[in-house]
Amino acid sequence: MGCCTGRCALIGLCALQLLSALERQIFDFLGFQWAPILGNFLHIIVVILGLFGTIQYRPRYIVVYTVWTALWVTWNVFIICFYLEVGGLSKDTDLMTFNISVHRSWWREHGPGCVRRVLPPSAHGMMDDYTYVSVTGCIVDFQYLEVIHSAVQILLSLVGFVYACYVISIFMEEEDTLSTLPSYGKYWKYLKHFTLQRQGSTGKRTEGHGPCNSTCF
């Protein structure tokens, strides 16, 4: 296939997905969001697998990538519902940290225009109580930033799913076409034999050995 085809478009999409996933992974690490960190890690691995399958003409790898994109869209829809508090979900719970810490999204205190101030605790308060962290002046609330990140992932995954299905169909058509050609196997067997014969006839002498014959590689 040429350069301006669905295969090249899928390669570009996979590269863009890797960049966006790495960017998201960095900020999830800063916020100790363990559930998204695990999801991003799996996503990066599968996208690399899909990229390899596209470059090396491996349709099975692309099938794995296609199945994962559907799961990835579902996960990001859940994240959007979580931060928008749809269906009884609450963004103030510790669900994203597997209930092992009270950390929140990194964007909660470091979003665009946010001013973070730690207020002195009261006499009955605790020094590590997060209620004493005041955040004001945010241009965009953190939940909407998380929703934007998930929406971008959904968009890239949907486009990648379409192109992946197209590339798989093209690969399958090419394999079917080659398998139905007459004397296809005999042609490649003859070509390999001819290549070995030519290598033997043009082989150079080596110390202590005669000229290469048809068995040289």
Side-chain angles (χ1 to χ4, degrees), residues 12-28:
L13 275 170
C14 287
L16 190 59
Q17 282 183 302
L18 282 177
L19 291 176
S20 62
L22 289 172
E23 179 267 341
R24 191 179 188 183
Q25 185 77 311
I26 291 172
F27 292 110
D28 285 338

Side-chain angles (χ1 to χ4, degrees), residues 144-196:
Y144 299 119
L145 292 174
E146 293 287 357
V147 167
I148 291 173
H149 275 85
S150 294
V152 170
Q153 294 295 323
I154 291 174
L155 178 61
L156 292 176
S157 295
L158 291 176
V159 178
F161 179 86
V162 173
Y163 274 104
C165 293
Y166 172 73
V167 171
I168 291 172
S169 65
I170 294 298
F171 284 177
M172 294 302 181
E173 288 178 3
E174 290 182 352
E175 289 182 359
D176 293 340
T177 301
L178 291 176
S179 63
T180 55
L181 289 177
S183 303
Y184 173 71
K186 294 181 179 180
Y187 169 75
W188 284 110
K189 184 177 180 180
Y190 169 77
L191 180 61
K192 181 178 179 181
H193 177 73
F194 175 78
T195 303
L196 294 176

Side-chain angles (χ1 to χ4, degrees), residues 2 40 44-46 57 69-70 79 84 90 97 108 113-114 116 125-126 128-129 134 136 138 166 169 198 203 214:
N40 294 333
I44 291 171
I45 292 178
V46 176
Y57 295 91
T69 54
I79 292 180
L84 294 182
S90 175
T97 60
R108 186 186 186 104
C114 291
R116 179 179 183 274
M126 298 177 63
D128 58 350
D129 194 342
S134 173
T136 57
C138 294
Y166 172 73
S169 65
R198 187 164 182 82
S214 61

Side-chain angles (χ1 to χ4, degrees), residues 15-99:
L16 190 59
Q17 282 183 302
L18 282 177
L19 291 176
S20 62
L22 289 172
E23 179 267 341
R24 191 179 188 183
Q25 185 77 311
I26 291 172
F27 292 110
D28 285 338
F29 262 117
L30 292 174
F32 300 97
Q33 303 294 286
W34 303 118
I37 287 172
L38 179 60
N40 294 333
F41 179 74
L42 295 175
H43 181 62
I44 291 171
I45 292 178
V46 176
V47 171
I48 292 176
L49 189 66
L51 183 61
F52 176 80
T54 307
I55 295 174
Q56 297 294 324
Y57 295 91
R58 304 290 181 87
R60 292 182 179 179
Y61 293 167
I62 306 178
V63 170
V64 175
Y65 165 82
T66 305
V67 174
W68 171 257
T69 54
L71 298 176
W72 187 241
V73 168
T74 304
W75 167 247
N76 281 279
V77 169
F78 170 77
I79 292 180
I80 291 176
C81 294
F82 174 79
Y83 282 106
L84 294 182
E85 299 184 334
V86 177
L89 297 171
S90 175
K91 63 180 181 295
D92 294 324
T93 61
D94 301 327
L95 184 61
M96 291 300 170
T97 60
F98 294 131
N99 294 320

